[in-house]
Amino acid sequence: MKLASLKQGRDGSLVVVSRDLRRACSAEGVAPTLQAALDHWDECERPLRALYQQLNRNGHQHAFDFHPEACAAPLPRAYQWADGSAYVSHIELVRKARGAEMPPNFWSDPLMYQGMSDGFLGPRDDIALADEAWGIDFEGEVAVITADVPMGTGERHTLPYVRLLMLVNDVSLRNLIPAELAKGFGFFQSKPATSCSPVAVTPDELGHHWHQGRVQHRLQVSLNGTLFGAPHAGTDMTFGFDRLIAHACLSRRLGAGTIIGSGTVSNRDETTGACCIAERRTREIISTGSASTPFMRFGDRVRLEMLDDDGHSIFGAIDQQLVRYRGPAA
């Protein structure tokens, strides 16, 4: 099943989307928003699936053409957004470039930060930021949306709580990160609004490509129309979503609608490219002693998409332009 939120109010209007992402129908009769559906999933899942089946048979009389540019994020605002760093070889690579040792426990204990969840960007929304000097970077990731997860749930029991999966672009301001982390209190200013794919899908849509808490497809990232990378999301993922969810709920319950990200998808095989500029710059530093790829500039466009084995888009594409933010006077 594929679900999306059309732009309407703060929380969007829930629609069911056909498997081929061409048609949609309102789910207002079942739940007004995705959050409402997640809050009452046991009651909402069956009628939502019935709408989905009708759509895929071209049998829904009120169906309309689906346009990703009309979409907000599947959850325009969420109760919680926790981003992991499941591809530990990526962390190892970045630390190597700056001559830092990798703490051994990074391979056994996931890294995770709690990010901005009160305003996700839609898949076609501009990325509006004030200063190129901040070192603006994209990060292609996979994310899950959970049901209510009891505190202390072990990793062997967490995957049944995964309700939906989607793609995210976790924008990072690389030149703000070092000073912020040096304070010893984590990310804040260096992590602005995150962007989400047009649709979120239930795990069964992935079939056997959803395996051991990992999505077994490549994530394609393009910058200004040129392929930047296509690493395989299931390869070199040290911690699956089973472990990431268990890490997040160790000392707290997770409310329905909690979003947990994988961190930047990354493969040890450098021929697959990268899902963020920082990784390419890191490889350049290791290879030549200096980075030559610049961070994003105003006017740049980034696109993230995951295709199935037949070349069809699974989640729809995140396709965004970086623009200068002209907000209130400082």
Side-chain angles (χ1 to χ4, degrees):
M1 180 167 56
K2 299 191 176 188
L3 303 174
S5 296
L6 301 185
K7 291 183 176 182
Q8 181 177 307
R10 289 195 170 192
D11 295 305
S13 175
L14 181 63
V15 296
V16 179
V17 183
S18 62
R19 183 171 285 113
D20 62 9
L21 306 181
R22 293 181 179 179
R23 302 283 281 170
C25 66
S26 172
E28 184 178 4
V30 180
T33 66
L34 180 55
Q35 184 61 56
L38 291 164
D39 286 340
H40 303 282
W41 192 256
D42 289 344
E43 295 81 24
C44 293
E45 182 183 14
R46 181 173 292 181
L48 288 174
R49 287 191 179 277
L51 290 175
Y52 186 59
Q53 291 168 4
Q54 291 177 36
L55 265 180
N56 289 324
R57 292 196 303 263
N58 295 315
H60 196 283
Q61 60 180 338
H62 298 300
F64 52 86
D65 291 342
F66 179 65
H67 298 292
E69 59 270 19
C71 290
L75 281 175
R77 55 179 177 170
Y79 289 115
Q80 186 161 217
W81 156 233
D83 196 18
S85 193
Y87 298 85
V88 180
S89 58
H90 169 78
I91 306 169
E92 183 181 45
L93 186 69
V94 172
R95 293 179 71 90
K96 180 180 177 181
R98 66 172 190 260
E101 290 293 324
M102 175 90 141
N105 69 325
F106 279 23
W107 291 102
S108 58
D109 191 21
L111 297 176
M112 186 171 284
Y113 81 92
Q114 194 162 22
M116 170 184 169
S117 64
D118 59 341
F120 289 92
L121 298 180
R124 299 295 192 271
D125 292 348
D126 288 338
I127 302 168
L129 292 166
D131 195 342
E132 288 180 349
W134 288 345
I136 302 165
D137 198 358
F138 51 82
E139 289 192 53
E141 306 187 15
V142 180
V144 298
I145 302 175
T146 75
D148 289 306
V149 183
M151 182 170 66
T153 302
E155 67 178 285
R156 291 184 299 170
H157 306 286
T158 53
L159 291 183
Y161 293 104
V162 173
R163 291 288 179 257
L164 298 161
L165 296 100
M166 63 181 180
L167 303 180
V168 299
N169 176 16
D170 179 42
V171 178
S172 293
L173 307 180
R174 300 295 185 184
N175 293 339
L176 300 187
I177 288 175
E180 196 158 47
L181 293 185
K183 295 178 181 178
F185 225 57
F187 298 120
F188 196 86
Q189 292 179 330
S190 52
K191 289 290 188 176
T194 296
S195 315
C196 303
S197 55
V199 302
V201 311
T202 49
D204 59 286
E205 282 294 312
L206 298 171
H208 68 276
H209 292 287
W210 172 242
H211 181 63
Q212 295 184 336
R214 295 162 173 83
V215 176
Q216 306 292 332
H217 283 296
R218 293 189 180 276
L219 177 55
Q220 298 183 3
V221 180
S222 297
L223 180 62
N224 297 325
T226 300
L227 184 66
F228 197 87
H232 193 278
T235 301
D236 300 323
M237 188 179 187
T238 308
F239 307 110
F241 280 106
D242 48 354
R243 181 63 183 281
L244 294 178
I245 296 170
H247 182 86
C249 75
L250 174 70
S251 59
R252 65 179 77 179
R253 63 176 291 278
L254 306 180
T258 292
I259 303 171
I260 297 180
S262 66
T264 307
V265 176
S266 175
N267 291 167
R268 289 183 179 274
D269 179 3
E270 62 183 87
T271 65
T272 64
C275 283
C276 69
I277 296 172
E279 181 168 313
R280 178 178 285 188
R281 287 170 60 89
T282 295
R283 292 191 184 279
E284 290 168 348
I285 291 170
I286 293 171
S287 177
T288 68
S290 63
S292 57
T293 301
F295 289 118
M296 293 184 75
R297 294 169 175 151
F298 297 130
D300 283 351
R301 180 172 290 277
V302 62
R303 180 182 176 94
L304 293 80
E305 192 168 21
M306 184 174 281
L307 306 180
D308 64 19
D309 289 344
D310 296 318
H312 301 135
S313 186
I314 300 171
F315 305 95
I318 299 173
D319 195 334
Q320 301 177 284
Q321 186 172 37
L322 176 64
V323 301
R324 186 186 296 275
Y325 173 69
R326 302 185 186 279

